[in-house]
Amino acid sequence: MKIKKILIANRGEIAIRVIRSCRELGISTVAVFSDADRTALHVRYADEAYHIGPSPSAESYLAMDKIIEVAKRSGADAIHPGYGFLSENAGFSEKVTKSGILFIGPSAHSIHIMGDKISARQTMTDAGVPVVPGTRENIIDDNTGKEIANRIGLPVMIKAAAGGGGKGMRLIRRGKELTEGIRAAKSEALEAFGDESVYIEKYIESPHHIEFQILADKHGNIIHLCERECSVQRRHQKVVEETPSPLMNPDLREEMGKHAIAAARAVDYEGAGTIEFLVDDHLNYYFLEMNTRLQVEHPITELVTGIDLVKEQIKIAEGQKLSIDQSDIQQRGHAIECRIYAEDPDNNFMPSPGKVYKITEPMGTGVRCDGYIYEGYEIPIYYDPLISKLIIWGSNREEAISRMKRSLEEYYILGVKTSKNFLMRIMEASDFVSGKYDTHFIENNSDFLFAPCTEAGIPGNIEELAAVTALLEYNANLNKGNNIPGNNGLNRWKEFGRKKSVTRL
Ligand code: MV4
């Protein structure tokens, strides 16, 4: 069926990103918003917008029945869930489908199998996809745990079947820790997920986190769009992603790609999905998890393959066959994504909501900025503090890093603290520049990454002081009627130049 109107059941940058592809396809868009998002950009950008409830997610963006009711009321043919919120909720996928509305994503069956990490491991093993050595079943008692640990050898990782993304994991290095470890893991899993099932895996020391993008249509055609290196993570939260992976070689890419496709086929996958692998120093790789949604970091794949993944999702939901096959997939150049959070890296990354007084987004060749904040916008406290993704394309990795640093320098947000300087340090870190890093990168480089924030000898707060001073001076002149000719607001380049020339106090 031809989709004419899509409800985006999400907010922030991903809502705007989805709306952009819809507009290019001539598809009408419906936004939903909570109290806190009345002034949000996605509300202004969509063709229609409906209020769905109070600010807390549970009363708005997670309120399945409210969202489906708006979809019906607005005449939406389909719902795009984005990422997070209800995007991997099998019950929502099922409810939407039963309401006669297309869910732009996989079936409830696929979501359910991959959502339970024990069933996922079993299904992958049966499909010949390498999984980390460990248990096939839920660990019932301590004896089972001890037998398994003896069989696969310490250290082991105890994981919650209903967990994922680092939640409900426990590393056991000594046999005497196992009994208490299993008990604690079961208790935490029950508390966090309402399901105490846990399983044990061999612990992979210093792994890389490499994931493969998958596209699968409703006619059995499945392709992969190569890998994304996602090892730069802080507390299981991805910070920087890049493609191609510095670890990858053509043979490994072909082999992992085939297993990624086999994993999707094993669960009759439909839509865009991601197969996550752990890769050790000997290039052994193991299925970790499958993400049954579009991911935050999808733009780096779009930049090197030239494929719009949201448009592909929509075409698949309409029942179209993939118009591309595996031989069409070529990686051109190199792309890096930096996630810009409204957080204070100097204060343990505490969220830093508040009003945005000034913003200058980087531009130029190979620069994409997927954001949603604007001057005067109030960043709410209720949601994930991701404010934008800076995605850079370069003809090679060196150019991509250089362009990312130039773009981070240009990126200016006044009013809230951001992770910008932390990201700049990552781009300067020798382990990152060399490409020789794994999932321990941030902890292994913490001295360098968290050194006091100075830029060319100018402490960060002096920069802001200069910017605020310039802004106040400008406004004062404006009030006196001294309209500075040709200066539409602060001349950003002059301000940028001033920042560099500010003498150190
Ligand atoms: C592992 C592992 C080592 N061995 N499993 C972290 C969250 C979830 N994605 C799975 N994770 C891990 N599972 C075994 N058997 C190491 C991690 C891990 C990790 C994996 C990917 C990216 C970042 C990570 C940071 C810490 C631990």
Side-chain angles (χ1 to χ4, degrees), residues 340-453:
I340 314 285
Y341 284 96
E343 292 175 334
D344 184 358
D346 298 328
N347 186 14
N348 198 27
F349 292 87
M350 287 294 287
S352 170
K355 185 164 186 156
V356 177
Y357 288 102
K358 278 290 170 193
I359 180 167
T360 302
E361 291 181 338
M363 291 184 266
T365 307
V367 178
R368 169 174 166 177
C369 192
D370 281 15
Y372 77 105
I373 64 173
Y374 56 88
E375 293 190 1
Y377 178 64
E378 185 89 23
I379 297 176
I381 57 172
Y382 297 95
Y383 313 112
D384 185 282
L386 178 73
I387 47 180
S388 76
K389 298 154 10 183
L390 183 51
I391 309 112
I392 300 297
W393 180 89
S395 56
N396 56 45
R397 187 170 192 265
E398 184 184 3
E399 182 174 65
I401 292 175
S402 168
R403 188 168 280 159
M404 177 63 81
K405 287 161 71 173
R406 183 271 293 172
S407 300
L408 284 168
E409 279 174 355
E410 273 180 37
Y411 206 159
Y412 191 74
I413 298 175
L414 182 63
V416 296
K417 292 194 179 299
T418 73
S419 55
K420 171 189 137 174
N421 290 334
F422 175 60
L423 294 162
M424 180 66 91
R425 302 295 275 162
I426 290 173
M427 292 299 119
E428 293 165 343
S430 55
D431 283 357
F432 183 81
V433 174
S434 69
K436 293 180 173 34
Y437 64 87
D438 60 37
T439 51
H440 297 297
F441 167 78
I442 287 181
E443 71 192 85
N444 292 344
N445 290 273
S446 54
D447 291 347
F448 176 80
L449 296 174
F450 296 107
C453 177

Side-chain angles (χ1 to χ4, degrees), residues 132 157 159 164-166 169 201-205 207-209 230-231 233 236 276 278 288-289 439:
V132 182
M157 190 79 107
K159 292 183 175 180
M169 277 179 20
E201 291 179 341
K202 176 74 179 160
Y203 179 63
I204 310 295
E205 299 279 1
H208 283 253
H209 176 138
C230 302
S231 296
Q233 301 196 14
H236 305 298
E276 290 190 351
L278 288 178
L288 188 61
E289 299 170 1
T439 51

Side-chain angles (χ1 to χ4, degrees), residues 71-216:
K72 288 176 179 173
R73 184 160 27 119
S74 63
D77 310 302
I79 291 177
H80 193 302
Y83 52 66
F85 293 127
L86 296 168
S87 62
E88 296 190 290
N89 184 309
F92 182 62
S93 168
E94 197 157 35
K95 274 194 169 191
V96 170
T97 306
K98 284 183 174 170
S99 304
I101 296 166
L102 282 174
F103 178 74
I104 299 180
S107 66
H109 165 73
S110 301
I111 296 174
H112 179 73
I113 288 187
M114 287 306 191
D116 176 318
K117 304 309 174 201
I118 291 179
S119 68
R121 279 171 55 85
Q122 290 169 349
T123 307
M124 293 302 104
T125 305
D126 297 345
V129 178
V131 300
V132 182
T135 55
R136 264 185 78 91
E137 312 293 339
N138 170 27
I139 300 294
I140 307 297
D141 55 34
D142 303 345
N143 293 329
T144 319
K146 284 175 187 151
E147 184 271 324
I148 295 295
N150 290 332
R151 175 162 62 83
I152 59 179
L154 294 171
V156 296
M157 190 79 107
I158 306 173
K159 292 183 175 180
K167 298 189 190 78
M169 277 179 20
R170 190 170 280 268
L171 175 57
I172 303 292
R173 288 195 178 275
R174 288 193 296 269
K176 64 182 180 180
E177 299 165 356
L178 194 61
T179 301
E180 172 52 24
I182 292 173
R183 188 204 60 73
K186 281 179 168 295
S187 153
E188 286 164 17
L190 187 60
E191 173 72 23
F193 314 112
D195 174 355
E196 66 159 16
S197 304
V198 296
Y199 61 100
I200 294 181
E201 291 179 341
K202 176 74 179 160
Y203 179 63
I204 310 295
E205 299 279 1
S206 307
H208 283 253
H209 176 138
I210 294 178
E211 57 188 34
F212 272 70
Q213 181 67 56
I214 286 291
L215 279 177

